[in-house]
Amino acid sequence: MATPFSLSEEDLRPAALDSDAAAEKIPILRRRAANDGAKNDPTCVIVVGMAGSGKTTLMAQLQRSLNLKARDGAHSDDGGSVGEEEDDEDDDEKKPPAAESTSSRAGYAINLDPAAKYVPFQSSIDIRDTVDYLEVMRQHKLGPNGAILTCLNLFATKFDQVMDILERRAFGADGGDEESGDAKERDGVGEPTKSEEGAEMNGNENDTTTTNAQSTEAALDYILVDTPGQIEAFTWSASGSIVTSALATAFPTVLAFVVDTPRCAASVHTFMSNMLYACSMLYRAKLPMVVVLNKTDVVGADFVKEWMEDYDSFQEALDEASSSGNGHSDEMAGGSGYYSSLTRSLSLVLDELYNHLHKVGVSAATGDGVDEFWEVVQRAAAEYEDGYLVDLKNRIEEQKAKERAMQRAGARRLARDLQEDGKL
């Protein structure tokens, strides 16, 4: 008599009952499980925006507001083009601006722009210490944007070491969970490496690891990440996705999308272009977003906030801009053509998006609005807990459910084949 074919209880168990599945795969949940659910994670702020919007200047202002301690010694660029300049600027950088916050919050700065010749803030981890941008251009015969992408790709291969450094700096030598001991061993050994193509990977992360592991500074409150000026090189590249996902699964992460407010004042279509890009980034990263209306010392940000909160107000501004177009300005599209109709339709679609965006006016030059910025970031971080993290758990459980479904389907096919062969 044929023996009935059956699946094991493990194969039949629903994914929803596997409560530890997500915690095993997500560092932030694994860490919290080890700490009885305590939420003491620093908030990661990834600063993105169009070229010229003031990202790097804003990073410097945010660093001052957090009273970050500079890395020992002046930073020297791998390409040899920056070191002396930064030495000359050290004294200026140590002078607090008039608008500096009195907060004692601690932070950690990361620079991911390999093409920057001079960075006005002290970066604890700098991609330029690992990859030489000019050498990559020369060795691979690339243009500026191609070299930035290549540098990011090379750096992404070492980003697991960066995450180990961040976890040890944020949570001490333990790294917050039982697996960090192995990570510490990985970072503590090994010689500096080089890519076969000639881009140097000099292993300065190891030096930074040693410094931070022995540091007695307070636990971190924020991790600031500056991205390349060419926004698409980070937001639409594989390496950018790797970096963003790694940070988002280890720390509460927020995107800070920097907008050039004076440019929006000059053209409603520029404002619409910025909002469309913010929409695409929100759709791709699925992270909470803070729209930072920069350069409020030049033009106030109230009009942009009004456009985002009042649909009719933007329509009035669009009508006014279209009727005053002189054929030489950005508003030359007119009020009745396809372009104007498209802008109105998009504004209606984006009206719902604005309800899910946090916005704040900031002046990176003077520091006005920085304290309000941190308040908005905290609200966005709370949204990360209720939105991104829950969605991440659901995606992992869904993936496990799909795997079990494939196992059951395979088992059924096997049983059918065996039955047809007369072996069951």
Side-chain angles (χ1 to χ4, degrees), residues 69-121:
K69 294 185 178 181
R71 185 169 54 181
D72 291 342
H75 173 81
S76 59
D77 186 75
D78 282 346
S81 59
V82 185
E84 294 181 2
E85 288 185 38
E86 292 190 353
D87 288 339
D88 296 336
E89 295 290 338
D90 277 351
D91 293 336
D92 294 336
E93 288 304 310
K94 292 177 182 178
K95 295 179 181 178
E100 182 180 2
S101 170
T102 57
S103 170
S104 59
R105 295 168 294 194
Y108 203 79
I110 301 175
N111 174 45
L112 294 182
D113 189 352
K117 185 177 181 182
Y118 169 69
V119 175
F121 59 89

Side-chain angles (χ1 to χ4, degrees), residues 352-383:
E352 178 65 23
L353 169 71
Y354 298 151
N355 296 328
H356 300 279
L357 296 179
H358 305 269
K359 47 192 174 294
V360 59
V362 171
S363 171
T366 65
D368 292 338
V370 170
D371 288 338
E372 183 182 357
F373 169 82
W374 293 122
E375 295 174 4
V376 173
V377 165
Q378 286 302 311
R379 293 199 294 269
E383 185 179 312

Side-chain angles (χ1 to χ4, degrees), residues 208-394:
T208 309
T209 302
T210 304
T211 302
N212 291 331
Q214 296 174 349
S215 173
T216 58
E217 293 177 358
L220 295 180
D221 295 304
Y222 295 99
I223 299 171
L224 305 176
V225 182
D226 190 23
T227 58
Q230 288 76 6
I231 184 174
E232 67 279 357
F234 180 80
T235 57
W236 292 102
S237 65
S239 53
S241 297
I242 291 172
V243 170
T244 302
S245 298
L247 291 170
T249 54
F251 308 101
T253 304
V254 175
L255 289 177
F257 182 67
V258 185
V259 174
D260 191 334
T261 309
R263 288 286 297 157
C264 292
S267 169
V268 292
H269 301 304
T270 300
F271 164 76
M272 180 57 63
S273 298
N274 274 279
M275 293 301 102
L276 286 173
Y277 214 112
C279 178
S280 68
M281 291 179 57
L282 189 66
Y283 181 78
R284 181 173 174 84
K286 300 181 178 65
L287 289 169
M289 178 178 289
V290 176
V291 177
V292 183
L293 305 171
N294 195 19
K295 305 182 183 180
T296 56
D297 55 309
V298 179
V299 175
D302 292 339
F303 75 96
V304 177
K305 294 179 180 179
E306 185 178 359
W307 287 353
M308 297 176 70
E309 295 169 356
D310 186 354
Y311 173 78
D312 294 330
S313 175
F314 179 75
Q315 295 304 309
E316 293 173 2
L318 186 59
D319 290 337
E320 180 182 352
S322 299
S323 62
S324 63
N326 57 14
H328 301 286
S329 68
D330 291 337
E331 314 303 343
M332 62 184 295
S336 59
Y338 170 77
Y339 188 70
S340 179
S341 175
L342 175 62
T343 303
R344 294 177 191 278
S345 300
L346 289 174
S347 65
L348 183 61
V349 173
L350 294 178
D351 190 55
E352 178 65 23
L353 169 71
Y354 298 151
N355 296 328
H356 300 279
L357 296 179
H358 305 269
K359 47 192 174 294
V360 59
V362 171
S363 171
T366 65
D368 292 338
V370 170
D371 288 338
E372 183 182 357
F373 169 82
W374 293 122
E375 295 174 4
V376 173
V377 165
Q378 286 302 311
R379 293 199 294 269
E383 185 179 312
Y384 164 92
E385 300 284 346
D386 300 330
Y388 181 86
L389 206 53
V390 173
D391 178 66
L392 192 59
K393 290 188 222 178
N394 292 337

Side-chain angles (χ1 to χ4, degrees), residues 83-197:
E84 294 181 2
E85 288 185 38
E86 292 190 353
D87 288 339
D88 296 336
E89 295 290 338
D90 277 351
D91 293 336
D92 294 336
E93 288 304 310
K94 292 177 182 178
K95 295 179 181 178
E100 182 180 2
S101 170
T102 57
S103 170
S104 59
R105 295 168 294 194
Y108 203 79
I110 301 175
N111 174 45
L112 294 182
D113 189 352
K117 185 177 181 182
Y118 169 69
V119 175
F121 59 89
Q122 295 289 346
S123 55
S124 299
I125 298 178
D126 198 324
I127 188 174
R128 298 175 303 166
D129 291 336
T130 302
V131 186
D132 189 334
Y133 170 74
L134 296 177
E135 184 67 15
V136 168
M137 288 184 67
R138 187 183 67 83
Q139 291 283 343
H140 296 272
K141 297 180 174 59
L142 297 171
N145 291 336
I148 290 175
L149 279 172
T150 303
C151 289
L152 287 172
N153 291 339
L154 290 171
F155 192 71
T157 64
K158 294 287 186 179
F159 206 73
D160 59 326
Q161 297 181 22
V162 175
M163 295 306 302
D164 292 336
I165 293 171
L166 292 177
E167 289 188 357
R168 286 202 297 277
R169 177 60 186 86
F171 308 107
D174 293 342
D177 60 63
E178 67 276 3
E179 294 187 5
S180 62
D182 295 336
K184 184 172 182 180
E185 276 188 33
R186 285 200 308 272
D187 286 344
V189 298
E191 296 297 326
T193 62
K194 294 183 179 179
S195 73
E196 292 181 359
E197 302 294 337

